[in-house]
Amino acid sequence: MTQSPAVPTPAPQGPVRLGERAARTLTAELARHHGSKTALLVGAQADTAVLDAAISALLPGDVLTVVPAGPGDAAQLRTYIAAHGPWVADRIQIVDELAEAQPSEIVLVAVPLTGTVDETRTALTELGAQLAKGGVLTVAVPAMPGRTEGAGAELDRQAALFGVGTDLVLLNQPPLRIHRLRFTPAEVATAGRLAPVYRPSSVPITRTMHIDSNGVAAAGIALGLAALAKITRPKSRLWLLPALAAAPVAAFFRDPERDLPDDETAVVAAADGRVLSVERLTDERFGDGEFLRVAVFLSVLDVHVNRSPVAGKVVDYFVADGGFAAAMKPAAEHNVAAYTVLDTERGTVVVAQRTGLIARRIVQRAPVGALLAKGERIGLIRFGSRTDVYLPAEAADPLVGPGDKVIGGASVIARWR
């Protein structure tokens, strides 16, 4: 057996290992698909975090094809997989070379890419040929300078053209950037079979509470300022101000787990907050016909992580210029806003993230082409703000009114007819 050209070779500084967190991120696309699916794992070795994460993601009806990392790995893989019992062994097949595998809906590369630009481009071409229509290729690359010969730059270029998600995994040695690429369009209906994707940007604090990476960074800056103040002015208590601010700043970026309603017709809130208005309107930017718009105001005490209200495919994203009026005021209609446009089986749905008097920073993490599950995190707005959901008026009935309190990803704000 010869090693497939698409299997990456070790980095010059030695092999790059994927820890548990990186492995979970790499296999997130496999884990989120409900129902039967086909997947291909390239460059696998026995008793590794990536293989274990892929095995854990298997469901009845799934087929996982494994390409060993090297000539000596096939026998070890067969022994390791057989030890998991017939339920796992019946769903995994091992092939000697990539060319022997059938096209799959999900292709995962177990070894980070570390080659030159040309080598990386060749590997991506070979791996992309193994994708079924609308399938996703997930690959990792070291995020530290000097750990690749050009793979990082080429993957950044490919992600700009075909990326449907990128995650930075800092808790790995070395840190990794993991890209999800889709080279052919996906069917909108596929989004309805997905669970919200796992994202390492949400750092777990407890089983049910996470902190967004923006909060970790903000708290780190506050603590850094406290340390600097303590060093430069040791007799002053000025350092207490940033030190005491670190906890509430981190709390602002809290990202709790949410239980989604088990109702296919439910449209969930895109954000925590209080309903400002429910109205019918037209907006030529999103097409003909009327839209039902539910506007929600987020105070500084609310969770500011935004979620997709429905399952759909991101087909457009744009930012409209404007002012920074208080988000609860009518003038906020003309504030700076980011619009994420979704194609769904019921029509066009839009999520508008609007800035406020204090909020000046919108984070959006759902690139065009991405498939979003209902309730999936799409980004956040820093400090007080407003989030609007536009639904096709002829297809949905509102279930909330002005003054109602809603919880992002959990409260039902409308129901499809």
Coordinates of all heavy atoms in Angstrom, one line a residue, residues 286-380:
F286 N -35.0 42.6 0.4 CA -35.1 41.2 0.6 C -36.1 40.5 -0.3 O -36.4 39.4 -0.2 CB -35.5 41.0 2.1 CG -34.7 41.7 3.1 CD1 -35.3 42.5 4.1 CD2 -33.3 41.7 3.0 CE1 -34.6 43.2 5.0 CE2 -32.6 42.4 3.9 CZ -33.2 43.2 4.9
G287 N -36.7 41.3 -1.3 CA -37.6 40.7 -2.2 C -39.0 41.3 -2.1 O -39.2 42.2 -1.3
D288 N -39.8 40.8 -3.0 CA -41.2 41.3 -3.0 C -42.0 40.7 -1.9 O -41.6 39.7 -1.3 CB -41.9 41.0 -4.4 CG -41.1 41.6 -5.6 OD1 -40.5 42.7 -5.3 OD2 -41.1 41.0 -6.6
G289 N -43.2 41.3 -1.6 CA -44.1 40.8 -0.6 C -43.8 41.4 0.7 O -42.8 42.1 1.0
E290 N -44.8 41.2 1.6 CA -44.7 41.7 3.0 C -43.9 40.8 3.9 O -43.8 39.6 3.7 CB -46.1 41.9 3.6 CG -46.8 43.2 3.2 CD -48.0 43.4 4.0 OE1 -48.8 42.5 4.2 OE2 -48.2 44.6 4.4
F291 N -43.2 41.4 4.9 CA -42.5 40.7 5.9 C -43.2 41.0 7.3 O -43.7 42.1 7.5 CB -41.1 41.1 6.0 CG -40.3 40.6 4.8 CD1 -40.1 41.3 3.7 CD2 -39.6 39.3 4.9 CE1 -39.4 40.8 2.6 CE2 -38.9 38.8 3.9 CZ -38.8 39.6 2.7
L292 N -43.1 40.0 8.1 CA -43.5 40.1 9.5 C -42.2 40.4 10.3 O -41.3 39.5 10.3 CB -44.2 38.9 10.0 CG -44.5 38.8 11.5 CD1 -45.6 39.9 11.9 CD2 -45.0 37.4 12.0
R293 N -42.1 41.5 10.9 CA -40.8 41.9 11.6 C -41.1 41.9 13.1 O -42.0 42.6 13.6 CB -40.2 43.2 11.2 CG -38.9 43.4 11.8 CD -38.3 44.7 11.3 NE -38.9 45.9 11.9 CZ -38.6 47.2 11.6 NH1 -37.5 47.4 10.8 NH2 -39.2 48.2 12.2
V294 N -40.3 41.1 13.9 CA -40.3 41.1 15.3 C -39.0 41.7 15.8 O -37.9 41.2 15.6 CB -40.4 39.7 15.9 CG1 -40.5 39.7 17.4 CG2 -41.7 39.0 15.3
A295 N -39.1 42.9 16.4 CA -37.9 43.6 16.9 C -37.7 43.4 18.4 O -38.7 43.6 19.2 CB -38.0 45.1 16.6
V296 N -36.5 43.1 18.8 CA -36.3 42.8 20.3 C -35.1 43.7 20.7 O -34.1 43.8 20.1 CB -35.9 41.3 20.5 CG1 -35.4 41.0 21.9 CG2 -37.0 40.4 20.1
F297 N -35.3 44.3 21.9 CA -34.3 45.2 22.5 C -33.5 44.4 23.5 O -34.1 43.7 24.4 CB -35.0 46.4 23.2 CG -34.0 47.2 24.0 CD1 -33.0 47.9 23.5 CD2 -34.2 47.2 25.4 CE1 -32.1 48.6 24.3 CE2 -33.3 47.9 26.2 CZ -32.2 48.6 25.7
L298 N -32.2 44.5 23.4 CA -31.3 43.8 24.4 C -30.7 44.9 25.3 O -30.0 45.7 24.8 CB -30.2 43.1 23.6 CG -30.5 41.9 22.7 CD1 -31.2 42.3 21.4 CD2 -29.3 41.1 22.4
S299 N -31.0 44.8 26.6 CA -30.3 45.7 27.5 C -28.9 45.1 27.8 O -28.6 44.0 27.4 CB -31.2 45.8 28.8 OG -31.0 44.6 29.6
V300 N -28.2 45.9 28.6 CA -26.8 45.5 28.9 C -26.8 44.2 29.8 O -25.8 43.6 30.0 CB -26.0 46.6 29.6 CG1 -25.7 47.7 28.6 CG2 -26.7 47.1 30.8
L301 N -28.0 43.9 30.4 CA -28.1 42.8 31.3 C -28.5 41.5 30.6 O -28.4 40.4 31.2 CB -29.1 43.1 32.5 CG -28.8 44.3 33.3 CD1 -29.9 44.5 34.4 CD2 -27.4 44.1 34.0
D302 N -28.9 41.6 29.4 CA -29.3 40.5 28.6 C -28.1 39.7 28.0 O -27.1 40.3 27.8 CB -30.3 40.9 27.5 CG -31.6 41.3 28.0 OD1 -32.2 40.5 28.9 OD2 -32.2 42.3 27.6
V303 N -28.3 38.4 27.7 CA -27.4 37.7 26.9 C -27.3 38.3 25.5 O -28.4 38.5 24.9 CB -27.8 36.2 26.8 CG1 -26.9 35.4 25.8 CG2 -27.7 35.6 28.2
H304 N -26.1 38.5 25.0 CA -26.0 39.2 23.7 C -25.5 38.3 22.5 O -25.2 38.8 21.4 CB -25.0 40.4 23.8 CG -25.7 41.6 24.2 ND1 -26.4 41.7 25.4 CD2 -25.8 42.9 23.7 CE1 -26.9 42.9 25.5 NE2 -26.6 43.6 24.5
V305 N -25.5 37.0 22.7 CA -25.3 36.1 21.7 C -26.5 35.9 20.8 O -27.6 35.7 21.4 CB -24.8 34.7 22.2 CG1 -24.8 33.7 21.1 CG2 -23.5 34.8 22.9
N306 N -26.4 36.1 19.5 CA -27.5 36.0 18.6 C -27.6 34.6 18.0 O -26.5 34.0 17.7 CB -27.4 37.0 17.5 CG -27.4 38.4 18.0 OD1 -26.7 39.3 17.5 ND2 -28.2 38.7 19.1
R307 N -28.8 34.1 17.7 CA -29.0 32.8 17.1 C -29.9 32.8 15.9 O -30.7 33.8 15.7 CB -29.7 31.9 18.2 CG -28.8 31.7 19.5 CD -29.6 31.0 20.6 NE -28.7 30.8 21.8 CZ -28.1 29.7 22.1 NH1 -28.1 28.7 21.2 NH2 -27.4 29.7 23.2
S308 N -29.8 31.8 15.1 CA -30.7 31.7 13.9 C -32.1 31.3 14.4 O -32.3 30.3 15.1 CB -30.1 30.7 12.9 OG -31.0 30.6 11.8
P309 N -33.1 32.1 14.0 CA -34.5 31.7 14.4 C -35.1 30.5 13.7 O -36.0 29.9 14.2 CB -35.3 33.0 14.0 CG -34.5 33.6 12.9 CD -33.1 33.3 13.1
V310 N -34.5 30.2 12.6 CA -35.0 29.0 11.8 C -33.8 28.3 11.2 O -32.7 28.8 11.2 CB -35.9 29.5 10.6 CG1 -37.2 30.2 11.2 CG2 -35.2 30.5 9.7
A311 N -34.1 27.1 10.6 CA -33.1 26.4 9.8 C -33.0 27.0 8.4 O -34.1 27.2 7.8 CB -33.4 24.9 9.8
G312 N -31.9 27.2 7.9 CA -31.8 27.8 6.5 C -30.4 27.9 6.0 O -29.4 27.6 6.7
K313 N -30.2 28.4 4.8 CA -28.9 28.6 4.2 C -28.6 30.1 4.0 O -29.5 30.8 3.6 CB -29.0 27.9 2.8 CG -27.7 28.1 2.0 CD -27.9 27.4 0.6 CE -26.6 27.7 -0.3 NZ -26.8 27.0 -1.6
V314 N -27.4 30.5 4.5 CA -27.1 31.9 4.3 C -26.8 32.2 2.9 O -25.9 31.6 2.3 CB -25.8 32.2 5.2 CG1 -25.5 33.7 5.1 CG2 -26.1 31.9 6.7
V315 N -27.6 33.1 2.3 CA -27.4 33.5 0.9 C -26.9 34.9 0.7 O -26.5 35.2 -0.4 CB -28.7 33.3 0.1 CG1 -29.1 31.8 0.1 CG2 -29.8 34.1 0.7
D316 N -26.9 35.7 1.7 CA -26.4 37.1 1.6 C -26.1 37.6 3.0 O -26.7 37.2 4.0 CB -27.4 38.0 0.9 CG -26.8 39.3 0.4 OD1 -25.6 39.4 0.4 OD2 -27.6 40.2 0.0
Y317 N -25.1 38.5 3.0 CA -24.8 39.2 4.3 C -24.3 40.6 3.9 O -23.4 40.7 3.0 CB -23.7 38.5 5.1 CG -23.2 39.3 6.2 CD1 -23.9 39.4 7.4 CD2 -21.9 39.9 6.1 CE1 -23.4 40.2 8.4 CE2 -21.4 40.6 7.2 CZ -22.2 40.8 8.3 OH -21.7 41.5 9.4
F318 N -24.8 41.6 4.5 CA -24.3 43.0 4.2 C -24.5 43.9 5.4 O -25.4 43.6 6.3 CB -25.0 43.6 3.0 CG -26.5 43.8 3.1 CD1 -27.1 44.9 3.5 CD2 -27.4 42.7 2.8 CE1 -28.4 45.1 3.7 CE2 -28.8 42.9 2.9 CZ -29.3 44.1 3.3
V319 N -23.8 44.9 5.5 CA -23.9 45.9 6.5 C -24.4 47.2 6.0 O -23.8 47.7 5.0 CB -22.5 46.1 7.2 CG1 -22.6 47.2 8.3 CG2 -22.0 44.8 7.8
A320 N -25.4 47.8 6.6 CA -26.0 49.1 6.2 C -25.4 50.2 7.1 O -25.5 50.0 8.4 CB -27.5 49.0 6.2
D321 N -25.0 51.2 6.6 CA -24.4 52.3 7.3 C -25.6 53.1 8.0 O -26.7 53.0 7.6 CB -23.6 53.3 6.4 CG -22.7 54.2 7.2 OD1 -22.5 53.9 8.5 OD2 -22.1 55.1 6.6
G322 N -25.2 53.8 9.1 CA -26.2 54.6 9.8 C -25.7 55.2 11.1 O -24.5 55.4 11.2
G323 N -26.6 55.6 12.0 CA -26.1 56.2 13.2 C -26.0 55.3 14.4 O -26.0 54.0 14.2
F324 N -26.0 55.8 15.6 CA -25.9 55.0 16.8 C -26.9 55.5 17.8 O -26.5 55.9 19.0 CB -24.5 55.1 17.4 CG -23.5 54.5 16.4 CD1 -22.7 55.3 15.6 CD2 -23.3 53.1 16.4 CE1 -21.8 54.7 14.7 CE2 -22.4 52.5 15.6 CZ -21.6 53.3 14.7
A325 N -28.2 55.6 17.5 CA -29.2 56.1 18.4 C -29.5 55.0 19.4 O -29.1 53.8 19.2 CB -30.5 56.4 17.6
A326 N -30.1 55.3 20.6 CA -30.4 54.4 21.6 C -31.3 53.3 21.0 O -32.3 53.6 20.2 CB -31.2 55.0 22.7
A327 N -31.0 52.0 21.2 CA -31.6 50.9 20.5 C -33.1 50.8 20.8 O -33.8 50.2 19.9 CB -30.9 49.6 20.9
M328 N -33.6 51.3 21.9 CA -35.0 51.2 22.2 C -35.8 52.3 21.5 O -37.1 52.3 21.6 CB -35.3 51.1 23.7 CG -35.2 52.5 24.4 SD -33.5 53.1 24.5 CE -32.8 51.9 25.7
K329 N -35.2 53.3 20.9 CA -35.8 54.4 20.3 C -36.2 54.2 18.8 O -35.5 53.4 18.1 CB -35.0 55.7 20.4 CG -34.5 56.1 21.8 CD -35.7 56.5 22.6 CE -35.3 57.0 24.0 NZ -36.5 57.4 24.8
P330 N -37.2 54.8 18.3 CA -37.6 54.6 16.9 C -36.4 55.0 15.9 O -36.3 54.4 14.9 CB -38.8 55.6 16.7 CG -39.4 55.7 18.1 CD -38.2 55.6 19.0
A331 N -35.6 55.9 16.3 CA -34.5 56.4 15.5 C -33.5 55.2 15.2 O -32.7 55.3 14.3 CB -33.8 57.6 16.1
A332 N -33.5 54.2 16.1 CA -32.6 53.1 15.9 C -32.8 52.3 14.6 O -32.0 51.5 14.2 CB -32.7 52.1 17.1
E333 N -34.0 52.6 14.0 CA -34.3 52.0 12.7 C -33.2 52.3 11.7 O -33.0 51.6 10.7 CB -35.7 52.6 12.2 CG -36.2 52.0 10.9 CD -36.8 50.6 11.2 OE1 -37.2 50.4 12.3 OE2 -36.9 49.9 10.2
H334 N -32.5 53.4 11.9 CA -31.5 53.9 10.9 C -30.1 53.8 11.5 O -29.2 54.4 11.0 CB -31.8 55.3 10.5 CG -33.2 55.6 10.0 ND1 -33.7 55.1 8.8 CD2 -34.3 56.2 10.6 CE1 -34.9 55.4 8.6 NE2 -35.3 56.1 9.7
N335 N -29.9 52.9 12.5 CA -28.6 52.7 13.0 C -27.8 51.8 12.1 O -28.4 51.1 11.2 CB -28.7 52.0 14.4 CG -29.0 53.0 15.5 OD1 -29.2 54.2 15.2 ND2 -29.1 52.5 16.7
V336 N -26.5 51.7 12.3 CA -25.7 50.7 11.6 C -26.2 49.3 11.9 O -26.5 49.0 13.1 CB -24.2 50.8 12.1 CG1 -23.4 49.7 11.5 CG2 -23.6 52.2 11.7
A337 N -26.4 48.5 10.9 CA -27.0 47.2 11.1 C -26.3 46.2 10.1 O -25.9 46.5 9.0 CB -28.5 47.2 10.9
A338 N -26.2 44.9 10.6 CA -25.7 43.8 9.8 C -26.9 42.9 9.5 O -27.6 42.5 10.4 CB -24.6 43.1 10.5
Y339 N -27.1 42.6 8.2 CA -28.2 41.7 7.8 C -27.7 40.4 7.3 O -26.9 40.3 6.4 CB -29.0 42.4 6.7 CG -29.7 43.7 7.1 CD1 -29.0 44.9 7.0 CD2 -31.0 43.7 7.6 CE1 -29.6 46.1 7.4 CE2 -31.6 44.9 8.0 CZ -30.9 46.1 7.9 OH -31.5 47.3 8.3
T340 N -28.2 39.3 7.9 CA -27.9 38.0 7.5 C -29.2 37.4 6.8 O -30.2 37.3 7.5 CB -27.5 37.1 8.7 OG1 -26.4 37.6 9.3 CG2 -27.2 35.7 8.2
V341 N -29.1 37.1 5.5 CA -30.3 36.7 4.8 C -30.3 35.2 4.6 O -29.3 34.6 4.1 CB -30.3 37.4 3.4 CG1 -31.6 37.0 2.6 CG2 -30.2 38.9 3.6
L342 N -31.3 34.5 5.0 CA -31.4 33.1 4.9 C -32.5 32.7 3.9 O -33.5 33.2 3.8 CB -31.8 32.5 6.3 CG -31.0 32.8 7.5 CD1 -31.6 32.2 8.7 CD2 -29.6 32.3 7.3
D343 N -32.1 31.6 3.1 CA -33.1 31.0 2.2 C -33.6 29.8 3.0 O -32.8 28.9 3.5 CB -32.4 30.5 0.9 CG -33.4 29.9 -0.1 OD1 -34.6 30.1 0.1 OD2 -32.9 29.3 -1.0
T344 N -34.9 29.7 3.1 CA -35.5 28.5 3.9 C -36.6 27.9 3.0 O -37.0 28.4 2.0 CB -36.1 29.0 5.2 OG1 -37.4 29.6 4.9 CG2 -35.2 30.0 5.9
E345 N -37.1 26.8 3.5 CA -38.2 26.1 2.7 C -39.5 26.9 2.8 O -40.4 26.6 2.0 CB -38.4 24.7 3.3 CG -37.2 23.8 3.0 CD -37.5 22.3 3.5 OE1 -37.5 22.1 4.7 OE2 -37.7 21.5 2.6
R346 N -39.6 27.9 3.6 CA -40.8 28.7 3.7 C -40.6 30.1 3.1 O -41.5 30.9 3.1 CB -41.1 28.9 5.2 CG -41.2 27.6 6.0 CD -42.5 27.0 5.9 NE -42.7 25.8 6.8 CZ -43.8 25.3 7.2 NH1 -44.9 25.9 6.7 NH2 -43.9 24.2 7.9
G347 N -39.4 30.4 2.6 CA -39.2 31.7 2.0 C -38.0 32.4 2.6 O -37.2 31.7 3.4
T348 N -37.8 33.6 2.3 CA -36.7 34.4 2.8 C -36.9 34.8 4.3 O -37.9 35.4 4.6 CB -36.5 35.7 2.0 OG1 -36.2 35.3 0.6 CG2 -35.3 36.5 2.5
V349 N -35.9 34.6 5.1 CA -35.9 35.0 6.5 C -34.6 35.9 6.7 O -33.5 35.5 6.2 CB -35.9 33.8 7.5 CG1 -35.7 34.3 8.9 CG2 -37.2 33.0 7.3
V350 N -34.7 37.0 7.5 CA -33.6 37.9 7.7 C -33.4 38.1 9.2 O -34.4 38.3 9.9 CB -33.8 39.2 7.0 CG1 -32.6 40.1 7.2 CG2 -34.1 39.0 5.5
V351 N -32.2 38.1 9.6 CA -31.8 38.5 11.0 C -31.0 39.8 10.9 O -30.0 39.8 10.2 CB -31.0 37.4 11.7 CG1 -30.6 37.9 13.1 CG2 -31.8 36.1 11.8
A352 N -31.5 40.9 11.5 CA -30.8 42.1 11.5 C -30.2 42.4 12.9 O -30.9 42.4 13.9 CB -31.7 43.3 11.1
Q353 N -28.9 42.5 12.9 CA -28.2 42.9 14.2 C -27.9 44.4 14.2 O -27.1 44.9 13.4 CB -26.9 42.1 14.3 CG -27.0 40.6 14.3 CD -25.7 39.9 14.2 OE1 -25.2 39.8 13.1 NE2 -25.1 39.5 15.3
R354 N -28.6 45.1 15.0 CA -28.5 46.6 15.0 C -27.7 47.1 16.2 O -27.8 46.6 17.3 CB -29.9 47.2 15.1 CG -30.8 46.9 13.9 CD -32.1 47.7 14.0 NE -33.1 47.2 13.0 CZ -33.0 47.5 11.7 NH1 -32.1 48.4 11.2 NH2 -33.9 47.1 10.8
T355 N -26.9 48.1 15.9 CA -26.1 48.7 17.0 C -27.0 49.6 17.8 O -28.1 49.9 17.4 CB -24.9 49.5 16.4 OG1 -25.5 50.5 15.5 CG2 -24.0 48.7 15.6
G356 N -26.5 50.1 18.9 CA -27.2 51.0 19.8 C -26.4 52.2 20.2 O -25.4 52.5 19.5
L357 N -26.8 52.8 21.3 CA -26.1 54.0 21.7 C -24.7 53.6 22.2 O -23.7 54.3 22.0 CB -26.8 54.7 22.8 CG -26.2 56.0 23.4 CD1 -26.2 57.1 22.3 CD2 -27.1 56.5 24.6
I358 N -24.6 52.5 22.9 CA -23.3 52.0 23.4 C -22.7 51.0 22.5 O -21.5 50.9 22.3 CB -23.5 51.4 24.8 CG1 -24.1 52.5 25.8 CG2 -22.1 50.9 25.4 CD1 -24.4 52.0 27.2
A359 N -23.6 50.1 22.0 CA -23.1 49.0 21.1 C -22.5 49.6 19.8 O -23.2 50.3 19.1 CB -24.2 48.0 20.8
R360 N -21.3 49.3 19.5 CA -20.6 49.8 18.3 C -19.9 48.6 17.5 O -19.3 48.9 16.5 CB -19.6 50.8 18.6 CG -20.2 52.1 19.3 CD -21.2 52.8 18.4 NE -21.8 53.9 19.1 CZ -21.4 55.2 19.0 NH1 -20.3 55.5 18.3 NH2 -22.0 56.2 19.7
R361 N -20.1 47.4 18.0 CA -19.4 46.3 17.4 C -20.3 45.1 17.2 O -20.9 44.6 18.2 CB -18.2 45.9 18.4 CG -17.5 44.6 18.1 CD -16.6 44.8 16.9 NE -15.8 43.6 16.7 CZ -15.0 43.3 15.6 NH1 -15.1 44.2 14.6 NH2 -14.3 42.3 15.5
I362 N -20.5 44.7 15.9 CA -21.3 43.5 15.6 C -20.3 42.4 15.2 O -19.4 42.6 14.3 CB -22.2 43.9 14.4 CG1 -23.3 44.9 14.9 CG2 -23.0 42.6 14.0 CD1 -24.1 45.4 13.8
V363 N -20.5 41.2 15.7 CA -19.8 40.0 15.3 C -20.7 39.1 14.6 O -21.8 38.7 15.2 CB -19.1 39.4 16.6 CG1 -18.4 38.1 16.1 CG2 -18.2 40.3 17.3
Q364 N -20.4 38.7 13.4 CA -21.2 37.8 12.6 C -20.3 36.6 12.2 O -19.3 36.8 11.6 CB -21.8 38.5 11.4 CG -23.1 37.8 10.8 CD -22.7 36.8 9.7 OE1 -21.6 36.5 9.5 NE2 -23.7 36.4 9.0
R365 N -20.7 35.4 12.5 CA -19.9 34.2 12.2 C -20.5 33.2 11.3 O -20.2 32.1 11.3 CB -19.6 33.5 13.6 CG -18.8 34.4 14.5 CD -18.6 33.7 15.8 NE -17.7 34.4 16.7 CZ -17.9 34.6 18.0 NH1 -19.0 34.0 18.6 NH2 -17.0 35.2 18.8
A366 N -21.5 33.7 10.5 CA -22.2 32.8 9.5 C -21.9 33.2 8.1 O -22.6 34.1 7.6 CB -23.7 32.7 9.8
P367 N -20.9 32.7 7.5 CA -20.6 33.2 6.1 C -21.6 32.7 5.1 O -22.4 31.8 5.3 CB -19.2 32.5 5.8 CG -19.2 31.3 6.7 CD -19.9 31.7 7.9
V368 N -21.6 33.4 4.0 CA -22.5 33.1 2.9 C -22.2 31.6 2.4 O -21.1 31.2 2.2 CB -22.4 34.0 1.7 CG1 -23.2 33.6 0.5 CG2 -22.8 35.4 2.1
G369 N -23.3 30.8 2.3 CA -23.1 29.4 1.9 C -23.3 28.5 3.1 O -23.5 27.3 2.9
A370 N -23.2 29.0 4.3 CA -23.3 28.1 5.5 C -24.7 27.7 5.7 O -25.7 28.4 5.4 CB -22.8 28.9 6.7
L371 N -24.9 26.5 6.1 CA -26.2 25.9 6.5 C -26.3 26.1 8.1 O -25.4 25.7 8.8 CB -26.3 24.5 6.2 CG -26.4 24.1 4.7 CD1 -26.5 22.6 4.5 CD2 -27.5 24.9 4.0
L372 N -27.4 26.7 8.5 CA -27.6 27.0 9.9 C -28.8 26.1 10.4 O -29.8 26.1 9.8 CB -27.9 28.5 10.1 CG -26.9 29.5 9.7 CD1 -27.4 30.9 10.0 CD2 -25.6 29.2 10.5
A373 N -28.6 25.5 11.6 CA -29.7 24.9 12.3 C -30.5 25.9 13.0 O -30.0 27.0 13.4 CB -29.1 23.8 13.2
K374 N -31.7 25.5 13.3 CA -32.5 26.4 14.2 C -31.9 26.6 15.5 O -31.5 25.6 16.2 CB -33.9 25.9 14.3 CG -34.9 26.7 15.2 CD -36.2 26.0 15.5 CE -36.9 25.6 14.3 NZ -38.2 25.0 14.6
G375 N -31.7 27.8 16.0 CA -31.1 28.0 17.3 C -29.6 28.1 17.3 O -29.0 28.3 18.3
E376 N -29.0 28.0 16.1 CA -27.5 28.0 16.0 C -27.0 29.4 16.3 O -27.5 30.4 15.8 CB -27.1 27.4 14.7 CG -25.6 27.3 14.5 CD -25.2 26.5 13.3 OE1 -26.0 25.7 12.9 OE2 -24.0 26.8 12.8
R377 N -25.8 29.5 17.0 CA -25.2 30.8 17.2 C -24.7 31.4 15.9 O -24.0 30.7 15.2 CB -24.1 30.6 18.2 CG -24.5 30.1 19.6 CD -23.3 29.7 20.4 NE -23.6 29.3 21.8 CZ -23.9 28.0 22.1 NH1 -23.9 27.1 21.1 NH2 -24.2 27.7 23.3
I378 N -25.0 32.6 15.7 CA -24.5 33.3 14.4 C -23.6 34.4 14.7 O -23.0 35.0 13.8 CB -25.7 33.7 13.5 CG1 -26.5 34.8 14.2 CG2 -26.6 32.6 13.1 CD1 -27.6 35.5 13.3
G379 N -23.5 34.9 16.0 CA -22.7 36.0 16.3 C -23.2 36.7 17.6 O -23.9 36.1 18.4
L380 N -22.8 38.0 17.8 CA -23.2 38.7 18.9 C -23.0 40.2 18.7 O -22.4 40.6 17.7 CB -22.4 38.3 20.2 CG -20.8 38.4 20.1 CD1 -20.4 39.8 20.5 CD2 -20.2 37.4 21.0

